[in-house]
Amino acid sequence: MEFALSSEQTLVQENTARFARERLAPSAKAREEAHQIDHALIQEMAEHGLLGVNIPAAYGGSEAGVVAYALALREVAGADASVAVTMAVTNMVSEVIHRFGSSAQKENYIPKLVGGEYFAGAFALSETGAGSDAAGLKTRAQKDGDAWVLNGEKMWITSGDQAGVIVVWARTSDEGTKGISCFLVEGDTPGLSAGKPEEKMGLRASHTVALSLDHVRVSDAQRLGQVGEGFKIAMLALDGGRIGIGAQSCGMAAAALRESVSYAQERQQFKKNLASFQAIQFKLADMATHLEAAWALVLQAAWLKEENQPFSQQAAMAKLYASEKANATVREAVQIFGGYGYTEEFKVARFYRDCRVTQIYEGTSEIQRLVIARALLKQAAQSQGVS
Ligand code: CAA
């Protein structure tokens, strides 16, 4: 069993850590206050190979693999979680097009996503009535000659108002999960409009919008995958996405731990620094232990995906555990900072706000438990010879 990173993975980690430290961390607060990420920064990330980490070089990607992707995303999230989610969804969109797209779709869209020509990609699955119950979506795609006409409303779409291309899930028949298909809709397609960015608790530099599709017309060549295959495409993409949320969670937890260790060594109370109190030492020890365990789960899921082995259950476990423990960690970080942690003067308040959504998006903690439990029960039934 090998725990060491390859030289390529180490290089990705070191380069991304430097980029995150120098180019992201110092300006994260300003981006949060402006509620905006500049396209120039996205292009800089593209130059560093961060927008297509697991995409073949033939399409402009870094071809560095899933473990390298998790390493990179962790570093970015520790500096600016809003930038990390933008990066994550763009990588996810490129990967889904790479896996299910036609040659023309791959050649047309992937280089624009990974090269930073597009600000981002977006993933439009959720609707007001279809969050955890993704199959409850009501957006319709109606065949009209060689085209499809899409009508409906999407909700909670990361970068939905800025994306060059949006993967839109729509109902093509009433056959439940088998009646959903997937389309590539360009951001400037007539009939597509975005609402105002939501005022969120965290991730404020990343836009989250509702999208309205009013007779959006796309050719059949814009269909991604087969008719009726959309739900499976969404589930497979989310399996990979959940590794990313696990990595983001670890990035925020690691940054909160770093800040806490350094503050505990400086801050004096009762004529001693905080770090000399066992109550604080125990908090730091728990934070560090949970982080190591969470990161091991994320790396395991990333490695399985990279090895083309089943990883759905492990990705759900990684996302569940990492997001839960990261939230406990950022909460303890605020506690260690005391009153100062409750102000915007220190980074831990932002980590606390940014981290909360990791237990919600790309499947809530409750949905991860459902995925894990279903897998366990299926394995048990199979071993008992019950189908
Ligand atoms: N891989 C491949 N196929 C899968 C799959 C997977 N991981 N999970 C399910 N399927 C298949 C099943 O095998 C089944 O196929 P058959 O009918 O051929 O057997 C089919 O899909 C239906 O599966 P289920 O019966 O399990 O479907 P369900 O309706 O019970 O839903 C669910 C399952 C796990 C709850 C799913 O709805 C889910 O993941 N919900 C959460 C949605 C989510 O994560 N949304 C996040 C939005 S995107 C986002 O947040 C991005 C962002 O912007 C940051």
Side-chain angles (χ1 to χ4, degrees):
M1 185 169 196
E2 181 63 81
F3 270 100
L5 298 178
S6 70
S7 53
E8 188 186 18
Q9 289 161 349
T10 305
L11 195 66
V12 169
Q13 179 176 30
E14 287 175 355
N15 286 344
T16 313
R18 190 175 324 109
F19 176 77
R21 197 169 52 243
E22 293 173 2
R23 297 291 300 132
L24 298 180
S27 45
K29 190 173 164 63
R31 274 189 296 279
E32 181 183 48
E33 284 168 0
H35 291 222
Q36 188 65 36
I37 299 167
D38 289 340
H39 196 167
L41 183 66
I42 297 291
Q43 284 163 339
E44 235 184 287
M45 292 179 72
E47 283 161 24
H48 283 79
L50 295 172
L51 302 184
V53 183
N54 186 36
I55 293 293
Y59 295 103
S62 306
E63 206 173 307
V66 192
V67 170
Y69 172 61
L71 288 161
L73 197 54
R74 175 181 155 141
E75 296 298 339
V76 171
D80 187 335
S82 288
V83 173
V85 69
T86 310
M87 168 182 162
V89 178
T90 297
N91 273 273
M92 191 173 169
V93 167
S94 286
E95 281 200 36
V96 83
I97 296 175
H98 183 250
R99 174 146 183 205
F100 295 99
S102 64
S103 308
Q105 289 170 344
K106 292 190 227 185
E107 280 158 24
N108 187 19
Y109 293 114
I110 299 178
K112 292 176 187 159
L113 287 161
V114 306
E117 182 178 331
Y118 285 157
F119 176 90
F123 192 90
L125 175 67
S126 302
E127 300 182 0
T128 42
S132 290
D133 180 13
L137 65 85
K138 292 203 160 48
T139 294
R140 280 259 158 204
Q142 201 87 40
K143 194 86 194 281
D144 181 17
D146 189 35
W148 292 89
V149 180
L150 277 63
N151 281 290
E153 307 288 328
K154 293 288 173 182
M155 188 79 190
W156 312 123
I157 312 305
T158 302
S159 311
D161 56 338
Q162 300 156 305
V165 65
I166 304 167
V167 188
V168 176
W169 276 265
R171 195 154 273 297
T172 42
S173 84
D174 290 324
E175 293 169 80
T177 55
K178 304 267 189 291
I180 296 170
S181 305
C182 198
F183 301 88
L184 296 177
V185 177
E186 295 187 8
D188 57 1
T189 309
L192 176 72
S193 57
K196 260 181 53 192
E198 301 291 341
E199 291 284 346
K200 305 192 299 283
M201 175 194 282
L203 299 185
R204 291 181 179 164
S206 154
H207 289 195
T208 305
V209 298
L211 287 178
S212 171
L213 296 109
D214 180 11
H215 294 88
V216 169
R217 200 176 175 84
V218 293
S219 77
D220 193 45
Q222 295 298 95
R223 177 170 39 82
L224 184 71
Q226 301 303 314
V227 172
E229 203 188 8
F231 192 75
K232 242 170 208 172
I233 294 177
M235 292 300 110
L236 289 163
L238 284 169
D239 283 343
R242 288 167 185 164
I243 298 173
I245 307 302
Q248 280 178 46
S249 304
C250 289
M252 283 183 255
L257 176 60
R258 240 181 353 254
E259 295 293 321
S260 301
V261 167
S262 124
Y263 186 77
Q265 287 170 320
E266 282 166 23
R267 169 84 171 150
Q268 297 278 317
Q269 286 292 277
F270 303 102
K271 301 193 177 65
K272 291 198 278 189
N273 64 34
L274 290 189
S276 62
F277 292 99
Q278 198 177 55
I280 302 298
Q281 291 173 4
F282 280 14
K283 285 189 197 301
L284 297 175
D286 284 348
M287 290 155 87
T289 306
H290 293 150
L291 173 59
E292 288 283 323
W295 185 233
L297 282 174
V298 172
L299 283 180
Q300 175 186 239
W303 179 82
L304 287 169
K305 182 179 171 200
E306 192 157 306
E307 295 292 311
N308 293 316
Q309 292 188 40
F311 67 94
S312 175
Q313 183 188 350
Q314 285 76 13
M317 286 174 162
K319 198 249 183 205
L320 171 66
Y321 190 81
S323 63
E324 299 273 323
K325 293 304 178 191
N327 272 278
T329 295
V330 294
R331 196 172 57 236
E332 287 293 52
V334 171
Q335 195 67 20
I336 290 169
F337 274 72
Y340 293 103
Y342 197 62
T343 71
E344 293 299 326
E345 193 185 335
F346 291 90
K347 291 179 191 167
V348 290
R350 174 164 54 84
F351 296 154
Y352 183 83
R353 288 185 285 97
D354 284 350
C355 199
R356 187 63 183 85
V357 76
T358 60
Q359 292 173 287
I360 299 170
Y361 66 12
E362 301 209 13
T364 59
S365 289
E366 292 71 20
I367 290 296
Q368 306 313 317
R369 290 187 172 96
L370 188 139
V371 169
I372 297 161
R374 282 185 183 178
L376 284 175
L377 296 170
K378 193 170 164 189
Q379 287 149 18
Q382 279 165 349
S383 71
Q384 291 155 10
V386 184
S387 66

